[in-house]
Amino acid sequence: MSALDPTGTADTADTTAAPTPQEQGGGGVLDREHRALSIGIVSVVLLIAFEATAVGTAMPVAARELDGVPLYAFAFSAYFTTSLFGMVLAGQWADRSGPLGALAAGIGAFGAGLVVSGTAGAMWPFVLGRAVQGFGGGLVIVALYVVVSRAYEERLRPAIMAAFAASWVIPSIVGPLAAGTVTERLGWRWVFLGIPALVVFPLVLALPAIRRRAAGPADPGAPVAAFDARRLRLALGISVGAGLLQYAGQELRWLSMVPAAAGAALLVPAVLGLLPRGTYRAARGLPSVVLLRGVAAGAFISAESFVPLMLVTERGLSPTLAGLSLAVGGATWALGSFVQSRPRVEPYRERLMVLGMLLVAAAIAAVPSVLFPAVPVWIVGVAWGFGCLGMGMVIASTSVLLLKLSAPEEAGTNSAALQISDGLANVLLLAAGGAAFAALGGGSVAGHSVAGAGAVGSHPVAFAAVFLPMAAVALVGAWVATRVRGGEPGR
């Protein structure tokens, strides 16, 4: 991977032989000093990526077998809502005593949740397993950001973020096919029960390397801070509030206003307390970086969730072909992340992020054009490829800028804020898009798609009501991207 070119120089008294990049302090993320750590943490990301693509393929079959189709959405929202609490806990845990404990606990919970879901005899235990898994995923992702902030010099962080993005390429292509084959031949349970075996390699390789390079508090001489109980209460509030709003978005009845109001009452103060001051108004610097992450991820994921359903119900594609129409996105996402990692791009990072959000907006707006029968279906694959290119530029750049703007002792807290923005936007925009979709008749389309893969519906307005507002949200993100520079480091 050419993003890993060694750069940098250092003074040396030896004029008879050129120093190696490692002696210069200018090695890459795969030099001798970083190799074990880089392979280990990238393997963790690879595991999460494979789980996301494989489990999503097996989920409809699991829901039907467990007679849990009415609870289908909760299998996704349970993951997101508990991950929000895990993110805040991991941020404090890592700032207090280093990322090692949070990462080990997170990987353990992630695997345990898969086992619980894989052995479930009913839908509610299945959802419980997904909740445990989400808690572990929240711990892992924040701990990984703290590892990057501790163990890699600033010049290497864009490259390791690009490696994280590249880790999604193979799972995005192989995951659905492998999961589909296992589901058909062995049963959906083996998709869940087989993935925990993959946990062993990242644990063996990553944890010793993290212990050597990133263990302990950022300042060993400083007194160990206690856990902030107020922030943990706010984290619990944000998780419960997001779950209530997700539930209200699925139940289109007047009584749904009660959980919606309760969710908002919990969510608003929690968001204000956990995100950097000024996030809601796009204040320059760190607040805009955090806001942009949520806007980009929420708009993109909310739109992407409806693409396969639209292709199956409106254009008659099989689920496999509908899923593969998005496969090219893994490669272009990695390409976008690679582009932002180049040293020459650094002075133009803000412009690159604006361009990325414009590509995302254009892609989301172009996808519903296939609702017209005369438009060829391959347009979706092309448009989504450009959208993923933009996301690769933006998501990796927000990670790089966040670590640049964070003091070492605040890397965990700020990384948690970034991931909260990401996860919360996913929940809220998915709920909003799902409510609009159901209100315009999309619920009957979804029912056909579950009952029979080839069923064709005719509710183009319901799909347009999802994609066009999300394209508008992405355009707002292009404006937010103009405000990521400036401001003071830290929260």
Side-chain angles (χ1 to χ4, degrees):
M1 183 175 181
S2 55
L4 313 182
D5 294 339
T7 58
T9 58
D11 293 335
T12 176
D14 184 1
T15 59
T16 61
T20 65
Q22 288 77 13
E23 290 169 337
Q24 293 176 330
V29 296
L30 287 179
D31 62 17
R32 184 173 59 185
E33 184 181 0
H34 297 93
R35 186 179 300 123
L37 178 62
S38 296
I39 294 174
I41 62 176
V42 168
S43 296
V44 173
V45 176
L46 186 68
L47 170 67
I48 293 174
F50 187 79
E51 179 277 337
T53 55
V55 167
T57 301
M59 199 85 76
V61 180
R64 289 199 296 270
E65 185 174 315
L66 297 173
D67 295 323
V69 172
L71 300 176
Y72 180 75
F74 286 103
F76 291 96
S77 60
Y79 184 100
F80 284 122
T81 52
T82 55
S83 70
L84 293 172
F85 181 77
M87 291 168 188
V88 176
L89 177 60
Q92 290 201 40
W93 192 346
D95 284 343
R96 184 175 182 270
S97 56
L100 184 62
L103 184 62
I107 292 177
F110 190 82
L114 284 165
V115 172
V116 171
S117 291
T119 56
M123 194 62 181
W124 277 118
F126 181 88
V127 171
L128 174 63
R130 291 287 292 165
V132 173
Q133 188 186 344
F135 175 71
L139 291 174
V140 167
I141 192 64
V142 171
L144 286 178
Y145 273 64
V146 178
V147 170
V148 171
S149 74
R150 298 263 189 101
Y152 295 86
E153 307 93 295
E154 184 176 322
R155 64 181 181 81
L156 292 179
R157 292 171 189 166
I160 195 64
M161 292 301 174
F164 284 176
S167 299
W168 283 80
V169 176
I170 294 177
S172 67
I173 298 172
V174 176
L177 295 175
T181 301
V182 171
T183 299
E184 292 175 6
R185 300 290 179 85
L186 301 176
W188 64 268
R189 295 183 185 276
W190 287 104
V191 175
F192 288 83
L193 296 176
I195 293 176
L198 303 177
V199 170
V200 176
F201 177 74
L203 281 174
V204 170
L205 194 60
L207 297 187
I210 293 171
R211 185 178 292 110
R212 290 193 302 270
R213 297 188 55 83
D219 184 0
V224 177
F227 280 100
D228 188 337
R230 174 180 171 274
R231 287 185 62 81
L232 293 178
R233 287 195 300 270
L234 291 175
L236 184 60
I238 206 172
S239 295
V240 175
L244 289 172
L245 286 176
Q246 180 77 7
Y247 172 79
Q250 296 177 71
E251 298 290 332
L252 298 179
R253 298 178 299 174
W254 285 110
L255 287 177
S256 299
M257 296 299 294
V258 176
L266 289 169
L267 201 61
V268 172
V271 169
L272 293 176
L274 291 173
L275 299 186
R277 186 179 297 115
T279 299
Y280 71 95
R281 57 182 173 83
R284 287 194 175 275
L286 183 64
S288 285
V289 172
V290 171
L291 178 61
L292 178 60
R293 178 59 163 261
V295 169
F300 184 84
I301 296 300
S302 299
E304 185 181 51
S305 299
F306 285 87
V307 171
L309 183 62
M310 178 182 67
L311 293 177
V312 169
T313 59
E314 301 296 316
R315 296 301 296 264
L317 269 66
S318 69
T320 300
L321 287 177
L324 288 177
S325 68
L326 305 178
V328 69
T332 56
W333 190 308
L335 176 61
S337 189
F338 166 77
V339 169
Q340 67 77 37
S341 73
R342 308 310 298 158
R344 293 179 181 178
V345 171
E346 183 58 37
Y348 311 102
R349 187 173 295 278
E350 179 184 305
R351 297 180 186 177
L352 190 73
M353 297 169 79
V354 173
L355 173 62
M357 289 309 304
L358 291 176
L359 287 174
V360 172
I364 296 174
V367 163
S369 66
V370 300
L371 292 169
F372 296 100
V375 177
V377 173
W378 55 260
I379 289 294
V380 171
V382 174
W384 217 244
F386 280 103
C388 288
L389 175 68
M391 285 295 287
M393 297 175 184
V394 173
I395 296 300
S397 289
T398 57
S399 302
V400 170
L401 284 177
L402 177 110
L403 296 178
K404 184 176 183 178
L405 293 170
S406 299
E409 66 276 9
E410 295 178 333
T413 298
N414 290 341
S415 295
L418 189 76
Q419 297 302 325
I420 288 171
S421 179
D422 187 317
L424 184 60
N426 286 340
V427 172
L428 296 182
L429 291 180
L430 271 169
F437 182 73
L440 293 170
S444 60
V445 172
H448 286 306
S449 70
V450 172
V456 179
S458 181
H459 292 77
V461 175
F463 286 103
V466 173
F467 290 108
L468 298 182
M470 296 307 159
V473 172
L475 282 177
V476 172
W479 171 76
V480 175
T482 66
R483 302 179 60 79
V484 297
R485 295 285 190 183
E488 296 296 327
R491 259 183 73 83

